[in-house]
Amino acid sequence: MTELDDRLKAAVRACTTLVPWHPKTAPAEVFAGLARACEELGIDDWDMYADGGAVTRLETELAELMGKPAAVFFVSGTMAQQSMLRVWCERRGTRRVGIQDLSHLLKHEADGPRLLHDLRFEPLTSGREVATAEALRAMTPGLGAALVELPLRDAGCLLPTWEQLTELSAAARELGVPLHVDGARIWESQPFYDRPLAEIAALFDSMYVSFYKGMGAASGAAVVGEQDAMDELRVWRQRMGGQLYRLSPYAVGALVGLRDRLPRMGEYVAWARAFAKELVAAGLRVNPSPPHTNTFFVHAESPLPGLQERFAALMEREKVQPSGSWWETDVPGVCMTEFTAYDSALGHDPAKVAAWFAELAGA
């Protein structure tokens, strides 16, 4: 830990507002909000081991929203997706899964899919590429499943076109390969396609959704799909230790997200695109350009130590945190950050925030 690291942490703590992500909240505020939501939503009963109460209500509402027969709530997306892939692979009699090599399951799950489920991942795409029908057809036949991340977060939340998506779906059905979607940010992707969520979900055999990112819940995830597959998935939820005695606090937070934040996804994406345009005008680079969702990468031509010095100074002066952490890229002298626009961003002028970013870059 360097002196500059300590200075940055102190500056962040002293900020009274931030631009990316959600507003800062204390645990007591969150719990009080959940109590109010129970009254507003008429949640009078607890679930018991994920049955009844807010959990059953959430699963019912989600299945209807996504146009699928059933949904299964999980406390963790990691557990949800590994369990779903296990179901598909056991049905197909093989543990081979076609997957993008930037997928969350490969990058951020500590090799859990292989160690826990013996899943054998094979590359569907390499690097910052969207999955296509051609890529799926080029794989060795006999896959247990294929997984597509929408959007591909580690590529700047990159999305395929609607045509590419429908062609991929048709190819999977032609090949008899169950097609699963990592839809952790599918809510934020819907404005890109400008189609109902049910129409998007209809292209896939199963889809995972998250409730703690754009939806703002404390935790929680779910998978939607056909009834028989979801029945098998519930068994794996129990086997994986996910059938907790009480899941209502997480489910109530998810219901609030569906009610309050889902209708605002278009606003978040519009703000992000306006902000990206201002950043480009200020001399920074964004990827994708324009953004496909409310999340994208920002690149600044500046050595990291100098940028961090300016970052600390700006926060100390303005008491505003304009971005998350920055890190060095493979290109010498170029740094990057991931920016995500939610409620916090909507309270700021995109041009003003872009000016702060230009200051960070030393422009």
Side-chain angles (χ1 to χ4, degrees):
M1 186 73 68
T2 67
E3 184 176 333
L4 180 55
D5 291 330
D6 291 336
R7 183 185 172 194
L8 281 166
K9 287 190 174 183
V12 168
R13 287 194 298 269
C15 286
T16 56
T17 186
L18 75 164
V19 182
W21 206 243
H22 300 292
K24 295 178 180 179
T25 53
E29 295 178 77
V30 174
F31 295 140
L34 290 176
R36 288 193 302 272
C38 285
E39 294 181 359
E40 295 164 358
L41 296 169
I43 304 296
D44 299 320
D45 299 316
W46 285 94
D47 72 286
M48 182 173 287
Y49 294 111
D51 183 43
V55 174
T56 296
R57 176 167 170 179
L58 173 62
E59 290 177 343
T60 301
E61 289 190 13
L62 181 63
E64 182 178 350
L65 176 66
M66 306 303 283
K68 294 291 188 182
V72 180
F73 183 68
F74 282 81
V75 73
S76 156
T78 297
M79 184 189 299
Q81 296 208 94
Q82 291 184 22
S83 298
M84 190 70 252
L85 290 178
R86 180 70 178 261
V87 168
W88 291 133
C89 286
E90 288 203 340
R91 285 187 172 196
R92 297 270 293 167
T94 175
R95 300 300 171 89
R96 296 177 53 232
V97 177
I99 193 169
Q100 292 160 291
D101 71 356
L102 291 183
S103 168
H104 187 281
L105 281 81
L106 283 169
K107 295 292 186 179
H108 306 291
E109 299 188 11
D111 205 20
R114 182 184 66 85
L115 294 172
L116 296 176
H117 301 283
D118 195 31
L119 297 178
R120 309 300 176 89
F121 289 147
E122 299 178 19
L124 175 62
T125 63
S126 176
R128 295 176 180 176
E129 297 178 354
V130 298
T132 63
E134 292 76 17
L136 183 60
R137 288 196 177 97
M139 297 193 70
T140 302
L143 291 173
L147 183 148
V148 179
E149 188 174 316
L150 296 179
L152 188 56
R153 191 261 181 101
D154 281 2
C157 283
L158 189 67
L159 285 166
T161 65
W162 181 252
E163 181 180 10
Q164 288 173 321
L165 213 54
T166 56
E167 289 174 351
L168 175 64
S169 174
R173 287 171 180 166
E174 173 190 319
L175 296 168
V177 177
L179 187 57
H180 172 77
V181 173
D182 178 341
R185 294 167 178 80
I186 197 64
W187 319 115
E188 297 89 336
S189 303
Q190 185 272 334
F192 179 82
Y193 296 116
D194 194 25
R195 295 170 185 271
L197 286 163
E199 187 175 352
I200 299 171
L203 299 177
F204 307 101
D205 297 289
S206 57
M207 177 182 286
Y208 145 69
V209 300
S210 175
F211 295 114
Y212 83 84
K213 300 174 182 70
M215 294 300 191
S219 281
V223 179
V224 295
E226 295 300 316
Q227 186 68 59
D228 58 345
M230 296 303 99
D231 289 343
E232 292 181 48
L233 189 61
R234 290 182 192 279
V235 176
W236 275 105
R237 180 179 65 186
Q238 183 177 11
R239 289 169 175 162
M240 295 287 289
Q243 197 163 298
L244 307 185
Y245 179 56
R246 300 290 199 214
L247 285 169
S248 290
Y250 304 109
V252 171
L255 286 167
V256 171
L258 289 175
R259 182 192 67 182
D260 296 345
R261 287 198 166 93
L262 181 57
R264 306 198 71 186
M265 291 298 161
E267 295 179 66
Y268 303 148
V269 174
W271 195 97
R273 289 173 179 165
F275 177 47
K277 186 176 181 180
E278 295 287 351
L279 286 171
V280 172
L284 290 93
R285 296 197 303 275
V286 302
N287 182 54
S289 183
H292 292 178
T293 72
N294 63 322
T295 298
F296 58 97
F297 289 149
V298 183
H299 299 263
E301 293 189 14
S302 171
L304 184 60
L307 187 147
Q308 290 180 321
E309 288 279 357
R310 293 186 291 272
F311 192 14
L314 188 150
M315 289 190 289
E316 289 164 351
R317 183 187 76 234
E318 301 287 345
K319 304 303 179 190
V320 174
Q321 182 183 345
S323 75
S325 299
W326 291 76
W327 61 91
E328 295 174 324
T329 69
D330 293 335
V331 179
V334 177
C335 299
M336 66 182 292
T337 188
E338 180 187 70
F339 186 90
T340 300
Y342 287 125
D343 291 338
S344 292
L346 298 187
H348 296 272
D349 176 9
K352 177 64 175 177
V353 181
W356 287 334
F357 270 64
E359 180 178 336
L360 297 184

